[in-house]
Amino acid sequence: MEDEPDIAGLLILILKGAGAEVITAVTASEALTLLTSHAPHVLLCNVLLPDHNGDWLIQQIREQEAQTGQFLPALAVTSYTRECSSKDLLSKGFQGYLDKFFAPEQLVIEVLALVNEHRQH
């Protein structure tokens, strides 16, 4: 989920190029609604979004998971690395985080790692 069209396009291009099926949302509310009808393997989430932030979204997801017993691995993406520490993001419910200025192969590596780790549990 990414609200900046250029970055969203790049993320989609990289992930589809690696064989992923991609479902997009611009807002946290839209993503939460999509999750009621889709079961993605990984959530890729911008930390700052137009309606609610990524912290709110991951909190909503984790609360729902507590009721359903399901789990969605989540990777935070941000360009605000001074304001967002990896430790803070991990404590809020994300399993990993990427600076928006990542190398394309790093995104694929991180997503695959989360998918593989989740499959082992």
Side-chain angles (χ1 to χ4, degrees), residues 32-65:
L32 208 52
T33 300
L34 283 170
L35 289 173
T36 62
S37 59
H38 294 81
H41 295 259
V42 173
L43 171 71
L44 192 60
C45 181
N46 190 357
V47 173
L48 296 178
L49 296 164
D51 61 346
H52 300 284
N53 62 26
D55 296 351
W56 177 87
L57 177 60
I58 199 66
Q59 179 183 13
Q60 300 303 306
I61 291 169
R62 296 299 178 240
E63 286 175 7
Q64 289 178 358
E65 290 172 343

Side-chain angles (χ1 to χ4, degrees), residues 59-116:
Q59 179 183 13
Q60 300 303 306
I61 291 169
R62 296 299 178 240
E63 286 175 7
Q64 289 178 358
E65 290 172 343
Q67 297 171 4
T68 65
Q70 297 176 348
F71 179 74
L72 176 60
L75 185 64
V77 179
T78 186
S79 57
Y80 297 95
T81 55
R82 289 185 180 165
E83 295 87 356
C84 301
S85 73
S86 58
K87 182 179 177 182
D88 187 40
L89 292 168
L90 295 174
S91 72
K92 291 181 178 178
F94 290 98
Q95 283 58 61
Y97 117 99
L98 279 177
D99 183 314
K100 279 191 184 175
F101 305 105
F102 58 85
E105 62 274 2
Q106 187 63 36
L107 172 63
V108 174
I109 289 167
E110 294 288 336
V111 169
L112 285 174
L114 286 177
V115 169
N116 290 332

